[in-house]
């Protein structure tokens, strides 16, 4: 079953001569438990695609369906609820609430959904322990390293058992070791817990963890590939990938 | 909701300084409203406390409505009323004593500054009140030069049984033998000196009259007592009242006007506080755009986001209000403690604690918390509309003027136009509406004008900073966020408007009062009683003293004032009797309506009455009106022949008639104030010596030179004005907080830009200069608009005060305008200090990594 389906998805900014087409009639399917990476040069529409799929923005035309629901038919409250329950977000700049601890940040989506705080925090603790943060539960974001903050963000993204994780340049602010660790965690999410992931990145090493890589240019999909195990290993070790 | 509350507390605790500064704005407002409204009622209730204390000893105390004396035979009419078991007539006069009268020691504070001389028939007095003598005997009918006093008065005066108590009287000092001692006085009010009725009538120069009847009834039943009271009123007629009129009641109007003004100031302070909260929330939301966007992205509803902002406001409102109530009480206590000696000395009032009512507490809480929550409503709505996408994109680019010149801008223009028409109309009601429209209009047009004004002032700044770049950056930063800049500038604008308005009022008042001061107190010498505010509490002198003073070598003219209390249409009035010919040579009234010469002639030839502005506006009187004055013997018609004031009485409801009329209608020939001019070329020292010799038996008067008295009053006047200016500056402090908030947010948001600036070679000083430049531009915008608004409001307020009866003419507040410009720019610079320092000290690498 497909978690995500887009049909002629288009996003245009501005009008007339100054209009910019960020996405141009994108057709994309992501299956349950699939790890998809989106790559491309700056301004190709990677983040815009992710925002539209996540219901953070509305398309100019075309359709986005998430778990069978057409997002265009949902009002703001319903969209908000969908984001809370079906989607987990991991941003480049962590976006943790600075006045909450790691545990409280991770528990946030469940608490917003009305789950009792103790219950939500218990679940958050489980995820944080899985991500090797058991000794950082009471630390605030300014007391955590970049990699640790990002793992808190991942725990937050996973806590409501969403069908889809959307990650926008999650390793952009991390050193290579932390980035590898994070990418490994994402891979683990797919392999062990069967979540679908849509990852936007311009780092080929990170995209190598994905099942499928989509290449965007000027708002359209120009290529799509699945790496062999050998290619994956080479990419992770830093060898340059050749775009077929 | 629970979680939202906890998150709100976390955010508030996470920015302790900002939370403190914002809450401070609410504290100021509540402190002013609550504090002022506990202060004045405390004063008023103390003022009336002694009368209540006396009245509570008996079932009913009957007096003339005006507080003046009436025939002794009135007692028989009261005794004849069914239900009156016993009644006693007395003649009572408070006598303000000169400083150090008993102890003669200027280093020790006076325990007794006034006494009440009570003259009554002993048997009937004891029939209504228990007087238990602990030593000696009670007064007896026909006693001469004898008195009964309390133990506490005996101690303060340093006299014992059988010794002489010296008191001033209208015919000079007398010695009264203490024949009996009563227990210590425990109730509020003056110490009493009990003498026989005939003795009191002789000492006070008031033969055959009384001014108080105390009565006890034959029933404790409430309905029956009400019936007996009604019978008494019916028997005596409308000139009498049940209850004691406290001398000085004419100043109550003035006190209540003062209370209104102070409450308005407090409300203004609170409104400013609300505006500050609004401004702070706007900047907080700007700061937390990413957090809010993230919250929305992970599933927080719009309602939750709005609730978060409102909850923060509520917490600040509750904390600020609680602190404001507490500090307001402390403030009121401090002020009461400071003015207690003045109240005691000049008004013969022992001021107690601040007067708190449940209603006042509820209103203060309602206003403090209410304004804070209201101030958070729009920002909360704005926050709830932040989409997750907006939070992920930085704000860049200039905002076009076209976008800004929308509905709000044009509404503002229309309002300003209407306000200017109202200004030309001259109508008070339209002026008031115009002032509000003008101020709101300026606030609405500000966002669209930020950019062009910033460019204008930026040019000036470039001269100051000597490098175009920093000024340009400052201009650009403000133009990028015109809404936020406008709000901060508006807060400064309101503060400046208040300052300039106050300056207009105070300048106009100062010039008007100064003119009056010079005219009123221009005599060479004055004989001044202990209180020049409540004439009724002073013991004067019989006409013999004035004659003696005229006979002193070198004296050219002696002018006196005589005092009586009356009512006009229920308004308590202090009536001053003058001899126009002598009065105009030593003093004079400043007329705002009517011709002085005709007015004085009319006073002398008939029943002409001049009223001061306060009385005129309070009682709704105009030139030519016929009014009824309540006298001890009935009602008498007078004609208003002028509206005029003198310096000493400008603030209380006062009327002026001839001394012949005050004697004829009020049976008053007691002189309470003297102004004396020496002959041209006379030796002033010799004249002074002669005058001192004459007044030696009259310790109730102090001889002062005209120059000395003028200087004293000028000094008091200046001190009062300085206090008022200080209060206005106090009100302007919240705008400093608002500006600080905005600048701090600006630095935070532009961290990366600041990092880039430093990376390409800007020095720390130059970075500071950018922040400082922004602050000065914001301050300049606020000052410019604040001046305009303040001048308009000042004109309105001056017109309104003139309408209330204060004698003043509008004067352009040149010094206030200069002070306002200086204060505004200094505040701007001060507000920039912390953010500028912070910006300059940012770590370049960290700043570059920030987004």
């Amino acid at each position: 079953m497909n978690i995500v389906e887009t049909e002629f998805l288009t996003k245009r900014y501005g009008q007339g001569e100054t209009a910019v087409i960020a996405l141009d009639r994108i057709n994309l399917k992501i299956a349950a438990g699939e790890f998809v990476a989106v790559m491309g040069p700056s301004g190709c529409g990677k983040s815009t695609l992710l925002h539209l799929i996540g219901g953070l923005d509305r398309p100019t035309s075309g359709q986005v369906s998430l778990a069978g629901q057409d997002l265009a038919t949902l009002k703001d409250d319903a969209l908000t609820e969908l984001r809370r329950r079906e989607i987990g977000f991991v941003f480049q700049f962590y976006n943790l609430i600075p006045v909450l601890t790691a545990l409280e940040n991770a528990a946030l989506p469940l608490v917003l959904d009305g789950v009792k705080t103790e219950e939500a925090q218990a679940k958050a603790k489980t995820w944080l322990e899985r991500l090797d943060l058991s000794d950082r539960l009471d630390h605030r974001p300014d007391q955590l390293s970049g990699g640790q903050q990002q793992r808190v963000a991942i725990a937050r993204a996973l806590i409501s058992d969403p069908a889809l994780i959307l990650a926008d340049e999650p390793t952009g602010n991390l050193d290579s070791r932390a980035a590898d660790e994070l990418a490994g965690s994402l891979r683990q999410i797919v392999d062990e817990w069967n979540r679908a992931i849509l990852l936007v990145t311009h780092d080929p090493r990170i995209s190598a963890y994905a099942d499928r890589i989509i290449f965007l240019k000027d708002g359209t999909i120009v290529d799509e590939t699945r790496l062999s195990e050998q290619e994956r290993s080479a990419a992770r070790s830093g060898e340059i990938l050749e775009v077929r | 909701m629970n979680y939202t509350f906890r998150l709100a507390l976390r955010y508030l605790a996470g920015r302790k300084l900002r939370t403190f500064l914002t809450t401070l704005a609410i504290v100021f407002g509540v402190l002013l409203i609550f504090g002022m409204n506990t202060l004045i009622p405390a004063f008023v209730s103390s003022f009336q406390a002694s009368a209540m204390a006396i009245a509570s000893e008996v079932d009913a105390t009957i007096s003339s409505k005006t507080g003046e004396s009436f025939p002794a035979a009135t007692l028989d009419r009261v005794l004849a009323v069914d239900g009156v078991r016993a009644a006693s007539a007395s003649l009572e006069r408070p006598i303000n004593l000169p400083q150090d009268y008993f102890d003669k020691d200027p280093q020790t504070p006076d325990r007794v500054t006034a006494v009440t001389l009570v003259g009554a028939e002993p048997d009937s007095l004891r029939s209504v009140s228990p007087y238990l003598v602990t030593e000696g005997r009670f007064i007896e009918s026909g006693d001469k030069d004898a008195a009964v006093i309390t133990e506490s008065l005996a101690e303060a005066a340093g006299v014992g049984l059988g010794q002489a108590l010296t008191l001033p009287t209208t015919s000079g000092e007398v010695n009264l033998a203490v024949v009996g001692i009563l227990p210590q006085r425990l109730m509020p009010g003056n110490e009493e000196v009990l003498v026989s009725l005939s003795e009191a009538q002789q000492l006070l120069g008031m033969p055959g009259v009384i001014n108080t009847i105390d009565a006890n009834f034959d029933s404790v039943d409430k309905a029956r007592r009400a019936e007996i009271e009604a019978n008494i009123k019916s028997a005596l007629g409308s000139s009498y009242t049940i209850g004691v009129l406290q001398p000085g009641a004419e100043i109550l109007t003035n006190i209540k006007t003062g209370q209104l003004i102070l409450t308005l100031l407090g409300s203004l302070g609170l409104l400013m506080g609300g505006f500050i909260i609004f401004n702070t929330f706007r900047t907080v939301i700007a700061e937390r755009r990413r957090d809010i966007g993230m919250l929305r992205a992970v599933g927080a509803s719009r309602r939750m986001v709005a609730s978060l902002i409102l909850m923060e406001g509520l917490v600040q409102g509750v904390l600020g209000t609680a602190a404001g109530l507490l500090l307001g009480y402390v403030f009121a206590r401090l002020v009461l403690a400071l003015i207690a000696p003045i109240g005691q000395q000049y008004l013969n009032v022992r001021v107690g604690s601040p007067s708190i009512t449940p209603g006042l507490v509820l209103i203060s809480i309602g206003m403090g918390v209410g304004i804070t929550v209201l101030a958070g409503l729009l920002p909360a709505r704005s926050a709830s509309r932040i989409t997750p996408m907006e939070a992920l994109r930085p704000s860049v680019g200039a905002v076009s003027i076209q976008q800004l010149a929308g509905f709000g801008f044009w509404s503002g223009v229309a309002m300003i136009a209407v306000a200017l028409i109202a200004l030309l109309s001259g109508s008070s009601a339209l002026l008031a509406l115009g002032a509000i429209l003008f101020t709101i209009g300026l606030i609405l047009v500000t966002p669209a004008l930020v950019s062009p004004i910033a460019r204008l002032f930026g040019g000036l700044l470039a001269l100051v900073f000597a490098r175009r770049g920093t000024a340009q950056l400052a201009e650009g930063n403000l133009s990028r966020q015109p809404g936020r800049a406008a709000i901060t500038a508006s807060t400064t604008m309101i503060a400046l408007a208040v300052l300039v308005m106050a300056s207009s009022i105070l300048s106009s008042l100062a010039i008007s009062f100064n003119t009056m001061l010079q005219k009123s107190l221009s005599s060479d010498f004055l004989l001044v009683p202990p209180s020049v505010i409540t004439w009724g509490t002073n013991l004067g002198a019989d006409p013999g003293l004035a004659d003696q003073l005229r006979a002193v070598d070198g004296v050219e003219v002696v002018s006196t004032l005589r005092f009586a209390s009356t009512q006009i249409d229920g308004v308590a009035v202090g009536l001053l009797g003058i001899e126009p010919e002598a009065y105009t040579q030593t003093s004079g009234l400043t007329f705002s309506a009517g011709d002085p010469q005709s007015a004085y002639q009319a006073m002398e030839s008939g029943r002409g009455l001049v009223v001061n502005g306060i009385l005129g506006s309070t009682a709704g009187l105009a030139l030519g009106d016929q009014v009824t004055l309540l006298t001890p013997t009935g009602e008498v018609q007078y004609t208003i022949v002028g509206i005029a004031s003198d310096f000493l009485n400008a603030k209380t409801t006062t009327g002026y008639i001839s001394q012949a009329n005050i004697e004829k209608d009020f049976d008053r020939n007691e002189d309470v104030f003297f102004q004396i001019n020496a002959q041209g070329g006379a030796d002033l020292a010799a004249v002074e010596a002669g005058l001192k010799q004459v007044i030696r038996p009259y310790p109730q008067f102090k001889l002062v030179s005209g120059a000395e008295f003028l200087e004293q009053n000028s000094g008091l006047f200046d001190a009062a004005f300085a206090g008022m200016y200080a209060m206005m500056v106090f009100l302007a402090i919240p705008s400093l907080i608002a500006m600080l908030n905005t600048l701090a947010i600006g630095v935070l948001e532009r961290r990366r830009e600041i990092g880039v600036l430093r990376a390409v070679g800007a020095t720390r000083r130059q970075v500071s200069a950018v922040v400082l430049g922004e602050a000065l531009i914001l301050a300049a915008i606020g000052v410019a608009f604040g001046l305009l608004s303040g001048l308009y409001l000042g004109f309105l307020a001056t017109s309104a005060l003139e309408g209330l009866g204060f004698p003043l003419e509008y004067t352009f507040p040149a010094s206030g305008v200069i002070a306002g410009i200086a204060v505004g720019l200094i505040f701007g610079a001060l507000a920039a200090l912390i953010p500028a320092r912070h910006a300059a000290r940012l770590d370049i690498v960290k700043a570059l990594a920030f987004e």
Side-chain angles (χ1 to χ4, degrees), chain A residues 13 51 56-57 76-77 80 83-84 89 91 93 95-101 104-105 108-109 111-112 117 156 173, chain B residues 3 6-7 10-11 14 290-292 294-302 304 387-389 391-393 849-851:
Chain A
Y13 294 105
H51 296 155
L56 300 178
D57 198 1
D76 185 79
D77 280 350
T80 304
R83 282 202 298 274
R84 206 155 59 220
F89 286 94
F91 299 106
F93 297 105
N95 295 114
L96 300 179
I97 302 282
V99 297
L100 297 179
T101 62
E104 288 163 339
N105 266 293
L108 191 56
V111 171
L112 290 172
T117 308
R156 184 184 65 195
N173 250 23
Chain B
Y3 188 79
R6 287 205 324 261
L7 190 56
R10 290 289 187 90
Y11 268 117
R290 281 189 183 276
D291 284 6
I292 294 171
M294 190 282 299
L295 276 173
R296 293 280 287 127
V298 301
S301 64
R302 284 186 177 171
M304 186 256 172
T387 67
M389 281 310 299
L392 297 172
R393 287 195 216 113
F850 182 83
E851 188 146 357

Side-chain angles (χ1 to χ4, degrees), chain B residues 451-758:
Chain B
S451 210
I453 294 177
R455 263 202 301 280
L456 171 68
F457 285 117
L460 292 169
L461 264 185
L463 294 172
V464 172
F465 289 122
R467 281 188 202 179
R468 181 80 190 136
T470 33
Q472 241 175 356
L473 276 169
E475 278 169 44
N477 290 338
L478 289 177
S479 301
R480 228 168 44 167
Q481 293 282 349
R484 194 189 310 155
I487 288 175
T488 306
S490 301
T491 319
T492 312
M493 178 187 119
I494 291 174
L496 256 296
V498 166
L499 271 173
V500 171
M501 177 186 73
S503 179
S504 297
I505 298 168
L506 295 175
S507 316
S508 306
L509 272 174
I511 288 177
S512 305
F513 270 85
N514 223 14
T515 312
M516 247 197 311
L517 176 73
Q518 298 295 332
K519 192 170 183 179
S520 297
L521 304 179
S522 55
S523 59
D524 294 323
F525 296 100
L526 301 101
L527 291 187
V528 181
S531 169
V532 294
I533 299 173
T534 52
W535 297 109
T537 59
N538 297 317
L539 192 69
D542 60 31
L545 176 58
D547 292 334
Q548 289 179 64
L549 292 168
R550 287 184 189 105
V552 169
D553 256 344
V555 166
E556 184 174 38
V557 62
V558 175
S559 164
T560 68
L561 292 179
R562 293 178 181 176
F563 177 79
S565 291
T566 187
Q567 281 189 8
I568 298 176
D569 293 337
V571 176
V573 177
L575 213 52
L576 290 174
I578 62 173
E579 262 184 341
E581 197 189 324
Y583 185 71
T584 50
Q585 289 179 62
T586 56
S587 181
L589 297 173
T590 306
F591 278 74
S592 55
D595 168 57
Q597 210 169 346
S598 325
Y600 291 132
Q601 261 170 17
M603 282 166 76
E604 283 192 300
S605 61
R607 284 204 164 86
L609 167 71
V610 171
V611 296
N612 71 356
I614 296 273
L615 175 54
S617 74
T618 306
L621 304 172
L623 197 64
D625 281 356
Q626 296 281 315
V627 294
T628 305
L629 265 55
L630 222 51
T631 77
T633 50
E635 295 176 346
V636 183
Q637 295 283 321
Y638 273 76
T639 307
I640 310 269
V641 296
I643 300 181
S645 300
D646 74 289
F647 178 77
L648 292 175
N649 301 288
K651 298 184 287 293
T652 57
T653 45
T654 307
Y656 306 84
I657 59 175
S658 69
Q659 288 189 348
N661 282 334
I662 213 170
E663 186 165 354
K664 190 173 16 166
D665 293 334
F666 294 88
D667 196 23
R668 287 288 197 153
N669 65 353
E670 196 180 309
D671 293 320
V672 295
F673 186 72
F674 297 75
Q675 283 180 277
I676 301 153
N677 273 351
Q679 287 166 357
D683 177 0
L684 287 178
V687 172
E688 191 177 345
L691 293 172
K692 274 187 178 158
Q693 186 69 24
V694 167
I695 66 165
R696 199 161 283 151
Y698 297 87
Q700 64 265 44
F701 291 105
K702 189 176 165 193
L703 178 69
V704 290
S705 73
E708 190 187 324
F709 199 59
L710 200 68
E711 203 181 304
Q712 259 175 39
N713 279 278
S714 284
L716 280 173
F717 193 71
D718 291 342
F721 272 42
M724 284 190 244
Y725 268 118
M727 192 180 294
M728 296 300 159
V729 173
F730 187 73
L731 277 179
I733 288 175
S735 76
L736 178 68
I737 299 167
M739 208 182 293
L740 205 153
N741 271 342
T742 300
L743 292 170
I745 291 296
V747 167
L748 196 73
E749 281 208 318
R750 296 196 310 274
R751 214 179 263 191
R752 194 157 194 278
E753 181 185 313
I754 292 168
V756 167
L757 270 178
R758 294 278 284 125

